[in-house]
Each structure stands twice: as C-alpha cells, then as structure tokens.
Amino acid sequence: MLQLGDGQLFRAKARRLLFVGGATACMFIAAATPAGARLVPDPGAGRGNPRALRLETIGIGLINRVVKDVRHAHPECVPDSPFDDPTTVTDASPSDALLAAFAPLRRPATPDDTLPMDVTTMHLPAGPIYTNSIRLLHGPGGHDFYLIVAQGRFVPRPEPRLCLRLQRRELEDKLADRSSALRRMTLHTFDQVNGSEHPLHPPKPAEAVYLFDRTPSGQIGGGGGGVDLAFIRNHGMVGTSGTRGSSQVTVLVPDGVASITATFARTVPHGKYRAPKVYPRAITMKVPVQDNIASFTAARPAPDAFPTQMVWQAADGSIVKTVRGNR
C-alpha cells in the first residue's frame, strides 16, 4: 500500500516513492514525486467535512482533466519521466561524505553483496548506480536489505510556465459555471500544487540512496527511496509494509545510531477534510539498530506506521537526534 501524502493536501505533493517486489509493496520516504503524478485526494488533520471533501474530489478531477488535455494538445508540456531512460552504472566510488556516513560502504564487497538481478533492469529513477558499492545489510531479527546508491538522483526539468498558464486558463473556463466555493478551492489547489511541484529553481543534483528488502528466497522484495544523504541525516529513511493491522517498519540511519525509540501517536491525521484515525493508545518502543538498519513490527496499518517521533541514541545511551513528524 502506498501513502504519497505528507500530511498536507495531496498525494502528488509526496516525499515518498513506491517500488514493488513480489507480493509486498513498501512505502519509503523519498526526495521527489514521480513526474506526471496524478493528483488524488489525501486519504490521510481534519475533523471530517464531507461537503469540502466532495468539492475537493470534484476539483481534483477537473485539474487532472485539464492537465491531460493540455499535455495531449502540446507535447512540449509532457514532463520528463524518471523511468524513460535506462539505468546506467559506474565503477566509481561514492563521495567521501556518503562513505563516512555508512560503515557497510567502507567494507570490502563479498559475494553476498551481489544482487540476484541485473541492477539496470530495476529502472531506478537515478543513476549511474555505484555497482561496486551495492551492499547487503543484515538488520535486526534476521531481516536483510540491499543498499543501493547512485551518483545522481532524477531531477526533472521544470514544466514550462506557458504550459502552466494554459492549464490554469482551461481550468478557469471549466469552473466558469460552477459554484464560487468550488472555484476558490480548485484554483487555490492548482496554484498550491504547482508552486510545490514546479519550483522556479529545481533541486541541486545529489547522490541518491535506495533500500530493498531481501526475501527469504534471496530475491529482491519491496523497497524504494531516492533521498540524499542530507535527508537521511535529518530524518532517516523510513519505510513501511504490511497488512491492515500490523506493519513492518524499516529505518535507515547514518553511523553512530545504536538504537531508536519510536513513538506512534494515538491520533493520526487522515487528511484536511477527513476525520483522523484515533487508536486506543499511543505506542512507544525502543528498537536496536544493526548495519544502519532498524527493522521492527508496529501494530498499525502501513499508512499509519510512520513514527510521529524518533529518538536516535548512541551506544552509550546519549541522544544523537530527535526526529519529529515523519507522517
């Protein structure tokens, strides 16, 4: 299951990417949204407002329609896709900063670090991949993961401003005979999303980090990522997968973190116009870190299994960092 929202208005404002392997889908915090992502009402802090939710759904449908129409009529408005180009590889080494942050990257490679598939067939939205720096991480409880790092993350070209103006003009036409409430909400949404998804200054190139589960049969399972080192140092890279009532939570952290105290709030926002989910109680647990990985089970469905607070602790018990607001 995939949660693309970050507690704000739309899933398309995501900071998470999804990659699926086998029968399990994992959600991982990521650095950018796939190009051309379609807007979907945020499922995920409101008290419940069915009328506003209905207007939001109608407005999103109109936005998706005009974006599709403009891109069909103007091919130059079709954004780059992170999956258009083949994945490339390099024999180069990661940056000194990345090597200093993850001890497994500093050890010699072994046969166990070999991927069970050709990395170029994974179509990661980054590259080239550091093929000599793929490492198998042995997390707590016998959970293994493949750490894959790339020389550069996908940075889409900004959508031409002319295209955005064409979209807004067509949207205004479609809203001309609609209610003032729908017009205000939809145009505000359009402007807000475009300001986030099409900034005047795109993010700078940076190395990208990915994490994939290794299944008991030795194959690649679910996973994802795409974040840079700065993001991991500030937030960690958090992924969840699981069933309706229980999820596996995975956290990738830099060197120096020996354990994590994770808290899951009792009340979880489910969107601006939806009532929040209220659980019987909050959950707090302390879990070990091994090979830069914390992997544990939380009694929450996957979309609600992102910790609302994490306290990273060193081996001597001192606090390395407190991270809040991963939802």
Side-chain angles (χ1 to χ4, degrees), residues 39-54:
L39 295 188
V40 184
D42 185 354
R47 291 171 292 181
N49 187 331
R51 179 177 180 272
L53 181 61
R54 185 170 63 254

mmCIF file with all atom_site columns, all heavy atoms in Angstrom, residues 39-54:
data_model
loop_
_atom_site.group_PDB
_atom_site.id
_atom_site.type_symbol
_atom_site.label_atom_id
_atom_site.label_alt_id
_atom_site.label_comp_id
_atom_site.label_asym_id
_atom_site.label_entity_id
_atom_site.label_seq_id
_atom_site.pdbx_PDB_ins_code
_atom_site.Cartn_x
_atom_site.Cartn_y
_atom_site.Cartn_z
_atom_site.occupancy
_atom_site.B_iso_or_equiv
_atom_site.pdbx_formal_charge
_atom_site.auth_seq_id
_atom_site.auth_comp_id
_atom_site.auth_asym_id
_atom_site.auth_atom_id
_atom_site.pdbx_PDB_model_num
ATOM 1   N N   . LEU A 1 39 ? -3.003  13.773 -9.359 1.00 0.00 ? 39 LEU A N   1
ATOM 2   C CA  . LEU A 1 39 ? -3.492  14.204 -8.057 1.00 0.00 ? 39 LEU A CA  1
ATOM 3   C C   . LEU A 1 39 ? -4.578  13.273 -7.566 1.00 0.00 ? 39 LEU A C   1
ATOM 4   O O   . LEU A 1 39 ? -5.459  12.863 -8.316 1.00 0.00 ? 39 LEU A O   1
ATOM 5   C CB  . LEU A 1 39 ? -4.054  15.624 -8.139 1.00 0.00 ? 39 LEU A CB  1
ATOM 6   C CG  . LEU A 1 39 ? -3.069  16.741 -8.477 1.00 0.00 ? 39 LEU A CG  1
ATOM 7   C CD1 . LEU A 1 39 ? -3.771  18.076 -8.329 1.00 0.00 ? 39 LEU A CD1 1
ATOM 8   C CD2 . LEU A 1 39 ? -1.846  16.675 -7.600 1.00 0.00 ? 39 LEU A CD2 1
ATOM 9   N N   . VAL A 1 40 ? -4.518  12.948 -6.275 1.00 0.00 ? 40 VAL A N   1
ATOM 10  C CA  . VAL A 1 40 ? -5.513  12.104 -5.630 1.00 0.00 ? 40 VAL A CA  1
ATOM 11  C C   . VAL A 1 40 ? -5.841  12.739 -4.298 1.00 0.00 ? 40 VAL A C   1
ATOM 12  O O   . VAL A 1 40 ? -4.951  13.252 -3.619 1.00 0.00 ? 40 VAL A O   1
ATOM 13  C CB  . VAL A 1 40 ? -4.978  10.668 -5.400 1.00 0.00 ? 40 VAL A CB  1
ATOM 14  C CG1 . VAL A 1 40 ? -6.067  9.780  -4.825 1.00 0.00 ? 40 VAL A CG1 1
ATOM 15  C CG2 . VAL A 1 40 ? -4.430  10.087 -6.689 1.00 0.00 ? 40 VAL A CG2 1
ATOM 16  N N   . PRO A 1 41 ? -7.120  12.745 -3.866 1.00 0.00 ? 41 PRO A N   1
ATOM 17  C CA  . PRO A 1 41 ? -7.434  13.315 -2.553 1.00 0.00 ? 41 PRO A CA  1
ATOM 18  C C   . PRO A 1 41 ? -6.615  12.650 -1.461 1.00 0.00 ? 41 PRO A C   1
ATOM 19  O O   . PRO A 1 41 ? -6.444  11.439 -1.453 1.00 0.00 ? 41 PRO A O   1
ATOM 20  C CB  . PRO A 1 41 ? -8.936  13.004 -2.388 1.00 0.00 ? 41 PRO A CB  1
ATOM 21  C CG  . PRO A 1 41 ? -9.442  12.861 -3.782 1.00 0.00 ? 41 PRO A CG  1
ATOM 22  C CD  . PRO A 1 41 ? -8.305  12.252 -4.565 1.00 0.00 ? 41 PRO A CD  1
ATOM 23  N N   . ASP A 1 42 ? -6.086  13.457 -0.565 1.00 0.00 ? 42 ASP A N   1
ATOM 24  C CA  . ASP A 1 42 ? -5.259  12.937 0.512  1.00 0.00 ? 42 ASP A CA  1
ATOM 25  C C   . ASP A 1 42 ? -6.108  12.052 1.415  1.00 0.00 ? 42 ASP A C   1
ATOM 26  O O   . ASP A 1 42 ? -7.097  12.493 1.987  1.00 0.00 ? 42 ASP A O   1
ATOM 27  C CB  . ASP A 1 42 ? -4.697  14.109 1.307  1.00 0.00 ? 42 ASP A CB  1
ATOM 28  C CG  . ASP A 1 42 ? -3.728  13.688 2.389  1.00 0.00 ? 42 ASP A CG  1
ATOM 29  O OD1 . ASP A 1 42 ? -3.575  12.475 2.591  1.00 0.00 ? 42 ASP A OD1 1
ATOM 30  O OD2 . ASP A 1 42 ? -3.130  14.572 3.020  1.00 0.00 ? 42 ASP A OD2 1
ATOM 31  N N   . PRO A 1 43 ? -5.745  10.766 1.600  1.00 0.00 ? 43 PRO A N   1
ATOM 32  C CA  . PRO A 1 43 ? -6.526  9.884  2.439  1.00 0.00 ? 43 PRO A CA  1
ATOM 33  C C   . PRO A 1 43 ? -6.216  10.071 3.900  1.00 0.00 ? 43 PRO A C   1
ATOM 34  O O   . PRO A 1 43 ? -6.888  9.604  4.776  1.00 0.00 ? 43 PRO A O   1
ATOM 35  C CB  . PRO A 1 43 ? -6.069  8.496  2.008  1.00 0.00 ? 43 PRO A CB  1
ATOM 36  C CG  . PRO A 1 43 ? -4.642  8.704  1.678  1.00 0.00 ? 43 PRO A CG  1
ATOM 37  C CD  . PRO A 1 43 ? -4.584  10.088 1.062  1.00 0.00 ? 43 PRO A CD  1
ATOM 38  N N   . GLY A 1 44 ? -5.188  10.600 4.057  1.00 0.00 ? 44 GLY A N   1
ATOM 39  C CA  . GLY A 1 44 ? -4.632  10.632 5.342  1.00 0.00 ? 44 GLY A CA  1
ATOM 40  C C   . GLY A 1 44 ? -5.078  11.877 6.095  1.00 0.00 ? 44 GLY A C   1
ATOM 41  O O   . GLY A 1 44 ? -4.880  12.845 5.513  1.00 0.00 ? 44 GLY A O   1
ATOM 42  N N   . ALA A 1 45 ? -5.246  17.290 8.808  1.00 0.00 ? 45 ALA A N   1
ATOM 43  C CA  . ALA A 1 45 ? -5.740  16.661 10.016 1.00 0.00 ? 45 ALA A CA  1
ATOM 44  C C   . ALA A 1 45 ? -7.066  17.277 10.234 1.00 0.00 ? 45 ALA A C   1
ATOM 45  O O   . ALA A 1 45 ? -7.097  18.340 10.675 1.00 0.00 ? 45 ALA A O   1
ATOM 46  C CB  . ALA A 1 45 ? -4.758  17.029 11.110 1.00 0.00 ? 45 ALA A CB  1
ATOM 47  N N   . GLY A 1 46 ? -8.031  16.709 9.729  1.00 0.00 ? 46 GLY A N   1
ATOM 48  C CA  . GLY A 1 46 ? -9.308  17.374 9.800  1.00 0.00 ? 46 GLY A CA  1
ATOM 49  C C   . GLY A 1 46 ? -10.248 16.632 10.704 1.00 0.00 ? 46 GLY A C   1
ATOM 50  O O   . GLY A 1 46 ? -10.010 15.519 11.108 1.00 0.00 ? 46 GLY A O   1
ATOM 51  N N   . ARG A 1 47 ? -11.396 17.269 11.030 1.00 0.00 ? 47 ARG A N   1
ATOM 52  C CA  . ARG A 1 47 ? -12.407 16.642 11.886 1.00 0.00 ? 47 ARG A CA  1
ATOM 53  C C   . ARG A 1 47 ? -13.487 15.988 11.058 1.00 0.00 ? 47 ARG A C   1
ATOM 54  O O   . ARG A 1 47 ? -14.425 15.428 11.587 1.00 0.00 ? 47 ARG A O   1
ATOM 55  C CB  . ARG A 1 47 ? -13.009 17.698 12.819 1.00 0.00 ? 47 ARG A CB  1
ATOM 56  C CG  . ARG A 1 47 ? -12.040 18.206 13.870 1.00 0.00 ? 47 ARG A CG  1
ATOM 57  C CD  . ARG A 1 47 ? -12.588 19.378 14.628 1.00 0.00 ? 47 ARG A CD  1
ATOM 58  N NE  . ARG A 1 47 ? -12.708 20.549 13.753 1.00 0.00 ? 47 ARG A NE  1
ATOM 59  C CZ  . ARG A 1 47 ? -13.154 21.722 14.162 1.00 0.00 ? 47 ARG A CZ  1
ATOM 60  N NH1 . ARG A 1 47 ? -13.525 21.876 15.413 1.00 0.00 ? 47 ARG A NH1 1
ATOM 61  N NH2 . ARG A 1 47 ? -13.217 22.729 13.326 1.00 0.00 ? 47 ARG A NH2 1
ATOM 62  N N   . GLY A 1 48 ? -13.343 16.031 9.740  1.00 0.00 ? 48 GLY A N   1
ATOM 63  C CA  . GLY A 1 48 ? -14.348 15.434 8.876  1.00 0.00 ? 48 GLY A CA  1
ATOM 64  C C   . GLY A 1 48 ? -15.253 16.493 8.307  1.00 0.00 ? 48 GLY A C   1
ATOM 65  O O   . GLY A 1 48 ? -15.948 17.188 9.047  1.00 0.00 ? 48 GLY A O   1
ATOM 66  N N   . ASN A 1 49 ? -15.250 16.661 7.014  1.00 0.00 ? 49 ASN A N   1
ATOM 67  C CA  . ASN A 1 49 ? -16.079 17.658 6.344  1.00 0.00 ? 49 ASN A CA  1
ATOM 68  C C   . ASN A 1 49 ? -16.505 17.072 5.007  1.00 0.00 ? 49 ASN A C   1
ATOM 69  O O   . ASN A 1 49 ? -15.830 17.283 3.996  1.00 0.00 ? 49 ASN A O   1
ATOM 70  C CB  . ASN A 1 49 ? -15.301 18.964 6.158  1.00 0.00 ? 49 ASN A CB  1
ATOM 71  C CG  . ASN A 1 49 ? -16.171 20.095 5.629  1.00 0.00 ? 49 ASN A CG  1
ATOM 72  O OD1 . ASN A 1 49 ? -17.149 19.867 4.905  1.00 0.00 ? 49 ASN A OD1 1
ATOM 73  N ND2 . ASN A 1 49 ? -15.800 21.324 5.970  1.00 0.00 ? 49 ASN A ND2 1
ATOM 74  N N   . PRO A 1 50 ? -17.590 16.294 4.972  1.00 0.00 ? 50 PRO A N   1
ATOM 75  C CA  . PRO A 1 50 ? -17.979 15.595 3.740  1.00 0.00 ? 50 PRO A CA  1
ATOM 76  C C   . PRO A 1 50 ? -18.207 16.532 2.561  1.00 0.00 ? 50 PRO A C   1
ATOM 77  O O   . PRO A 1 50 ? -17.838 16.196 1.431  1.00 0.00 ? 50 PRO A O   1
ATOM 78  C CB  . PRO A 1 50 ? -19.275 14.876 4.144  1.00 0.00 ? 50 PRO A CB  1
ATOM 79  C CG  . PRO A 1 50 ? -19.185 14.733 5.628  1.00 0.00 ? 50 PRO A CG  1
ATOM 80  C CD  . PRO A 1 50 ? -18.468 15.959 6.101  1.00 0.00 ? 50 PRO A CD  1
ATOM 81  N N   . ARG A 1 51 ? -18.785 17.716 2.783  1.00 0.00 ? 51 ARG A N   1
ATOM 82  C CA  . ARG A 1 51 ? -19.030 18.631 1.665  1.00 0.00 ? 51 ARG A CA  1
ATOM 83  C C   . ARG A 1 51 ? -17.716 19.123 1.063  1.00 0.00 ? 51 ARG A C   1
ATOM 84  O O   . ARG A 1 51 ? -17.539 19.138 -0.164 1.00 0.00 ? 51 ARG A O   1
ATOM 85  C CB  . ARG A 1 51 ? -19.872 19.816 2.122  1.00 0.00 ? 51 ARG A CB  1
ATOM 86  C CG  . ARG A 1 51 ? -20.143 20.816 0.993  1.00 0.00 ? 51 ARG A CG  1
ATOM 87  C CD  . ARG A 1 51 ? -21.037 21.961 1.448  1.00 0.00 ? 51 ARG A CD  1
ATOM 88  N NE  . ARG A 1 51 ? -21.278 22.909 0.357  1.00 0.00 ? 51 ARG A NE  1
ATOM 89  C CZ  . ARG A 1 51 ? -20.480 23.937 0.089  1.00 0.00 ? 51 ARG A CZ  1
ATOM 90  N NH1 . ARG A 1 51 ? -19.390 24.136 0.839  1.00 0.00 ? 51 ARG A NH1 1
ATOM 91  N NH2 . ARG A 1 51 ? -20.743 24.755 -0.919 1.00 0.00 ? 51 ARG A NH2 1
ATOM 92  N N   . ALA A 1 52 ? -16.792 19.535 1.932  1.00 0.00 ? 52 ALA A N   1
ATOM 93  C CA  . ALA A 1 52 ? -15.499 20.002 1.430  1.00 0.00 ? 52 ALA A CA  1
ATOM 94  C C   . ALA A 1 52 ? -14.744 18.878 0.738  1.00 0.00 ? 52 ALA A C   1
ATOM 95  O O   . ALA A 1 52 ? -14.088 19.093 -0.288 1.00 0.00 ? 52 ALA A O   1
ATOM 96  C CB  . ALA A 1 52 ? -14.668 20.571 2.573  1.00 0.00 ? 52 ALA A CB  1
ATOM 97  N N   . LEU A 1 53 ? -14.839 17.664 1.278  1.00 0.00 ? 53 LEU A N   1
ATOM 98  C CA  . LEU A 1 53 ? -14.175 16.528 0.651  1.00 0.00 ? 53 LEU A CA  1
ATOM 99  C C   . LEU A 1 53 ? -14.753 16.265 -0.738 1.00 0.00 ? 53 LEU A C   1
ATOM 100 O O   . LEU A 1 53 ? -14.017 15.964 -1.688 1.00 0.00 ? 53 LEU A O   1
ATOM 101 C CB  . LEU A 1 53 ? -14.314 15.282 1.537  1.00 0.00 ? 53 LEU A CB  1
ATOM 102 C CG  . LEU A 1 53 ? -13.653 14.003 1.019  1.00 0.00 ? 53 LEU A CG  1
ATOM 103 C CD1 . LEU A 1 53 ? -12.152 14.196 0.863  1.00 0.00 ? 53 LEU A CD1 1
ATOM 104 C CD2 . LEU A 1 53 ? -13.948 12.842 1.965  1.00 0.00 ? 53 LEU A CD2 1
ATOM 105 N N   . ARG A 1 54 ? -16.058 16.408 -0.872 1.00 0.00 ? 54 ARG A N   1
ATOM 106 C CA  . ARG A 1 54 ? -16.697 16.208 -2.180 1.00 0.00 ? 54 ARG A CA  1
ATOM 107 C C   . ARG A 1 54 ? -16.240 17.280 -3.170 1.00 0.00 ? 54 ARG A C   1
ATOM 108 O O   . ARG A 1 54 ? -15.927 16.975 -4.330 1.00 0.00 ? 54 ARG A O   1
ATOM 109 C CB  . ARG A 1 54 ? -18.219 16.237 -2.024 1.00 0.00 ? 54 ARG A CB  1
ATOM 110 C CG  . ARG A 1 54 ? -18.974 15.924 -3.317 1.00 0.00 ? 54 ARG A CG  1
ATOM 111 C CD  . ARG A 1 54 ? -20.452 15.718 -3.060 1.00 0.00 ? 54 ARG A CD  1
ATOM 112 N NE  . ARG A 1 54 ? -21.100 16.914 -2.529 1.00 0.00 ? 54 ARG A NE  1
ATOM 113 C CZ  . ARG A 1 54 ? -21.485 17.054 -1.257 1.00 0.00 ? 54 ARG A CZ  1
ATOM 114 N NH1 . ARG A 1 54 ? -21.276 16.077 -0.391 1.00 0.00 ? 54 ARG A NH1 1
ATOM 115 N NH2 . ARG A 1 54 ? -22.071 18.171 -0.850 1.00 0.00 ? 54 ARG A NH2 1
#
